[in-house]
Amino acid sequence: MEMTVPALLYLGLLLVCGLLFGVIASRFQLPRVAAYVIAGMLFSPDLLGRIIHTGAGEWSETLTTTALGIIAYLIGGSITMQQLLRMGKMIVGSALGESFGAVLVVFLAVFFLIPDIGGVSVLQLALAFAAIAASTAPAGTVAVLHQYRAHGPLSTTLLGVVALDDALGIIFFSVIMVIVAGESWGHGLVVASREIGGALILGAVTGGLLARAGKHIRQGGMRLPMVLGSILLVIGVAEAWKLSPLLSAMSLGFSSRFFLKASGDRLFAPVEYLEEMVFIIFFTLAGAHFEFSVFLSHFDLILIYFFARIIGKLAGASIGAQISGAPKTIVYWLGPGLIPQAGVAVGLALTLSHQPIFHEVSIVIVNVILATTLLYEVLGPFAARLALERSGELGIKRNRGKL
Amino acid sequence: MKIAEWLQRHPAEVVTVSADASLEQVLAVLLSKPGLRDIYVLADDGQVTGHLSHNKLARLVLAEHRPVHTRRQIIERIACGSAREIMSTHFSTAHPEEELDNVLHRQLEHDVEDMPVIDSEGRLLGTINLTELLHEAYKQSAGS
């Protein structure tokens, strides 16, 4: 028996199941990311998706764009200019190195090692995976540092790099998407300048207005609707004017924090509570796209992306750290701490799957990113622990509930 | 009763730091006075420009004991700035010419334990302590 469920009911089922699985995973100290994905998999075409159908077209695109816009706003507002300068060239150089390294190696590996899979050219497919490869999930790294009371220059650099590289990931993604959508390289670059420059200006101007409003609106309950309204407005205008929505939202976050100065965090703290919900949406939606046949038929692509991103992160972090004058410990051991990939990458993959140019390969892109995210989730904490151990920064393991 | 009159009857010591003070310096001031919960940040001309709460300072100093961080908290942890950058510039204040009843309403509305009193030139004159107000109200009700 087949049945069609309304979109809101489907979304509610995804959220409730994701939350339930996440709570159970937390109770047994298992990764929540995997729990969310497994919850989503229940609704995949191989399982309940056979009988439950939904018009998951336009609404899922709007939902994904809005959700990723919220994350981009938070990423943009996570840092001030003074903090960026204080972090120093070692952290910034290493972040640039590891992000660019992952983008470059994934691009080259997919371009040269993967045969034409149809739907898009190999060049476009390589650019698509390269666009997603830069971001790193900070949660896993922070958890390992906390669990082992790690202290020292590597731990500090690691924290700085994982906090910065999602911003670089969104910049790489936005630039590559504009170029991919261009008719030619020359045309692509002209369009890229307009779309990216326009997005930055739109975000900066709206951020200035949001900061001004934030100074005058004192009721705490008004801040969340004010910020969400601004994010939606900016994304909507960006789409209407054919500018990059993600860069617009990130620029909105950065500029509103910049203009509001010391009290800038009042525009971010209320929205940060939404981050977990956004990631539940991403992981369960991506899980619902899981197809075992796609997984098997593109196993080579999964392996190539998995290893290429690791090699890019390791080499890029090492080169970036070396160029920026980091000590040897950081040059050798920064890379292994940067393996996790999670919410932002999955969100970017879902966004990519809605681009008309990638329509025919969207299911492949989402499945590859989903499978590699789970693999990185298993490998990431071990690699980070090894790096901290070898660098001599591992402390005494923390017992639960004790300082 | 005017706020100025209340302050004369209930003088309260206020603790301030300069806007350029580092986190370590602010922390040293906080720990030097047991029970202190609010520190006010002064600009070079002596005007109050910000407020630092006991909770905010504890969150910054003890950040490494938190297993989950937002990106903003990660960056605050590794690139924390001076009092000027970490203070809050939006906080409830009272004026010495205001009526106590008006201020009390604001104090309850915004859940403020110690309401700073700032004059027209931006100078900090003292604070109105909620517990002292409770004492006063209790004395009056017991008397009547």
Side-chain angles (χ1 to χ4, degrees), chain B residues 1-3 6-7 10 99-108 112-115 127-141:
Chain B
M1 187 193 294
K2 296 270 189 209
I3 295 295
W6 173 270
L7 279 184
H10 303 87
E99 286 295 330
L100 189 59
D101 286 349
N102 292 342
V103 176
L104 177 58
H105 169 73
R106 216 155 55 234
Q107 205 155 351
L108 292 171
V112 180
E113 178 72 25
D114 290 293
M115 174 78 91
T127 57
I128 304 165
N129 182 264
L130 195 59
T131 313
E132 294 217 9
L133 284 169
L134 274 173
H135 268 297
E136 194 69 21
Y138 181 72
K139 267 197 291 187
Q140 281 178 12
S141 65

Side-chain angles (χ1 to χ4, degrees), chain A residues 376-399:
Chain A
Y376 291 134
E377 197 67 17
V378 174
L379 179 69
F382 289 108
R385 190 189 177 282
L386 177 75
L388 292 165
E389 190 180 14
R390 291 296 167 92
S391 64
E393 294 189 13
L394 217 54
I396 302 160
K397 191 176 178 186
R398 202 180 282 268
N399 290 327

Side-chain angles (χ1 to χ4, degrees), chain A residues 229-258:
Chain A
S230 304
I231 296 171
L232 292 175
L233 196 67
V234 160
I235 293 173
V237 172
E239 285 191 335
W241 290 353
K242 299 201 185 313
L243 307 174
S244 163
L246 288 183
L247 272 187
S248 305
M250 201 164 83
S251 168
L252 171 74
F254 185 80
S255 63
S256 57
R257 181 100 190 263
F258 174 81

Side-chain angles (χ1 to χ4, degrees), chain A residues 18-319:
Chain A
L19 189 67
L20 191 67
F21 279 51
V23 169
I24 294 170
S26 292
R27 196 150 185 103
F28 293 99
Q29 294 182 53
L30 297 168
R32 282 207 306 273
V33 167
Y36 298 152
V37 172
I38 292 167
M41 280 176 175
L42 291 178
F43 298 88
S44 66
D46 297 325
L47 296 169
L48 286 175
R50 283 174 193 226
I51 47 172
I52 294 178
H53 295 280
T54 176
E58 280 181 24
W59 70 266
S60 85
E61 182 179 354
T62 307
L63 183 72
T64 310
T65 309
T66 309
L68 201 54
I70 291 171
I71 300 297
Y73 168 81
L74 289 175
I75 291 172
S78 62
I79 193 163
T80 64
M81 208 59 206
Q82 292 100 315
Q83 286 172 330
L84 191 63
L85 293 171
R86 212 176 296 123
M87 280 172 125
K89 64 174 185 175
M90 195 169 78
I91 291 178
V92 177
S94 304
L96 280 168
E98 58 90 17
S99 305
F100 186 66
V103 169
L104 184 67
V105 177
V106 167
F107 171 76
L108 292 174
V110 176
F111 186 71
F112 287 111
L113 300 177
I114 293 295
D116 192 352
I117 63 167
V120 289
S121 69
V122 178
L123 176 68
Q124 286 167 329
L125 191 71
L127 283 169
F129 281 110
I132 301 171
S135 75
T136 309
T141 306
V142 171
V144 172
L145 291 174
H146 173 261
Q147 190 181 7
Y148 292 98
R149 301 172 198 259
H151 259 294
L154 177 67
S155 307
T156 305
T157 310
L158 206 48
L159 282 172
V161 172
V162 294
L164 278 185
D165 84 346
D166 276 343
L168 295 169
I170 285 184
I171 292 170
F172 279 124
F173 180 86
S174 304
V175 172
I176 292 175
M177 280 308 99
V178 171
I179 292 171
V180 166
E183 288 156 18
S184 66
W185 281 99
H187 179 251
L189 286 174
V190 173
V191 175
S193 322
R194 187 177 61 79
E195 289 193 17
I196 290 162
L200 295 178
I201 294 169
L202 171 66
V205 171
T206 320
L209 295 173
L210 176 62
R212 188 170 273 256
K215 273 182 190 166
H216 296 293
I217 294 178
R218 289 179 179 271
Q219 296 97 320
M222 299 294 280
R223 283 182 209 140
L224 185 60
M226 180 176 73
V227 174
L228 282 183
S230 304
I231 296 171
L232 292 175
L233 196 67
V234 160
I235 293 173
V237 172
E239 285 191 335
W241 290 353
K242 299 201 185 313
L243 307 174
S244 163
L246 288 183
L247 272 187
S248 305
M250 201 164 83
S251 168
L252 171 74
F254 185 80
S255 63
S256 57
R257 181 100 190 263
F258 174 81
F259 286 117
L260 206 50
K261 296 202 165 58
S263 287
D265 53 358
R266 72 210 316 253
L267 292 182
F268 296 91
V271 190
E272 281 165 355
Y273 286 109
L274 298 177
E275 192 164 336
E276 191 67 16
M277 188 189 76
V278 166
F279 287 149
I280 296 177
I281 291 173
F282 284 164
F283 289 123
T284 51
L285 262 182
H289 281 75
F290 179 78
E291 283 185 35
F292 196 63
S293 58
V294 175
F295 177 79
L296 284 182
S297 57
H298 294 92
F299 196 66
D300 54 344
L301 188 51
I302 292 170
L303 285 182
I304 285 171
Y305 177 86
F306 177 74
F307 285 113
R309 183 174 168 275
I310 291 178
I311 294 167
K313 289 269 171 192
L314 294 181
S318 185
I319 294 167

